């Protein structure tokens, strides 16, 4: 942070003196950018993850809604077309965090409302497109105990295809099958 200085003095420097009390209230800094700062949202790296058991790509991060006017925004690039499921859980706090998903033009694609500490939304995604995920406070109203707290956000999507699908043969990821002349068996290379 930056240092700030406060100077206190009376309107008449020769006559105004005595004791005083000074109180400074500062809003706590946000841990992640807010909705107004879409371009600064941290990247959730789905391209680097793949679970061969579930055949999904996923990314997880944590955050905190510090005050009831806070929201946190993340972004991800879809590694493949299909659906993305975004889940916000609040295992260690009373936050009832809702989750909203936007496309790169900030059009709302879907909303998940918190129920028992979990909010989930599933939206359709297009490969190589950027999406934004917003974690927002609960809907019970300002000043309620579910307005602030910590959360975990998880994004799960379909994995990146290893080979082209029908209609994508010019994508450069076309597999070549080489046939053995004697056995007729093929090998994908």
């Amino acid at each position: 942070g930056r240092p700030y200085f406060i100077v206190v003095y009376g309107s008449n420097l020769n006559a105004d003196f005595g004791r005083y009390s000074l109180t400074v209230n500062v809003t706590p800094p946000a841990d992640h950018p807010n909705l107004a700062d879409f371009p600064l949202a941290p990247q959730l790296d789905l391209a680097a993850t793949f679970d061969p058991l579930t055949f999904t790509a996923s990314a997880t991060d944590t955050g905190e809604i510090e005050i009831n006017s806070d929201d946190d925004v993340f972004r991800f690039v879809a590694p493949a077309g299909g659906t993305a499921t975004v889940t916000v859980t609040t295992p260690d706090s009373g936050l009832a965090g809702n989750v909203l998903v936007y496309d790169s033009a900030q059009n709302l694609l879907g909303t998940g409302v918190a129920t028992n500490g979990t909010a989930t939304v599933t939206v359709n995604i297009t490969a190589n497109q950027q999406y934004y995920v917003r974690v927002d406070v609960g809907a019970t109203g300002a000043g309620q105990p579910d307005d602030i707290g910590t959360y975990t956000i998880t994004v799960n999507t379909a994995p990146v295809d290893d080979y082209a699908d029908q209609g994508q043969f010019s994508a450069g990821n076309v597999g070549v099958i080489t046939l053995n002349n004697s056995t007729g068996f093929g090998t994908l290379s």
Side-chain angles (χ1 to χ4, degrees), residues 29-121:
D31 57 341
H32 297 287
N34 295 339
L35 182 62
D37 301 317
F38 252 69
L40 303 175
Q43 181 78 32
L44 297 170
D45 189 8
L46 292 166
T49 62
F50 173 70
D51 182 342
L53 297 176
T54 62
F55 298 103
T56 61
S58 66
T60 300
D61 205 339
T62 59
E64 181 176 2
I65 300 296
E66 294 90 355
I67 57 175
N68 65 9
S69 61
D70 188 21
D71 60 4
D72 290 346
V73 178
F74 301 86
R75 63 188 167 100
F76 69 92
V77 175
T83 61
T85 300
V86 183
T87 303
V88 171
T89 57
T90 59
D92 299 322
S93 77
L95 175 67
N98 297 327
V99 60
L100 301 91
V101 179
Y102 299 84
D103 64 15
S104 60
Q106 298 184 23
N107 297 308
L108 181 63
L109 301 178
T111 302
V113 177
T115 304
N116 297 322
T118 301
T120 301
V121 61

Side-chain angles (χ1 to χ4, degrees), residues 161-165 167-177 188-189:
D161 280 345
D162 52 355
Y163 295 103
D165 293 331
Q168 299 176 328
F169 298 127
S170 64
N173 57 348
V174 177
V176 175
I177 299 175
L188 183 62
S189 57

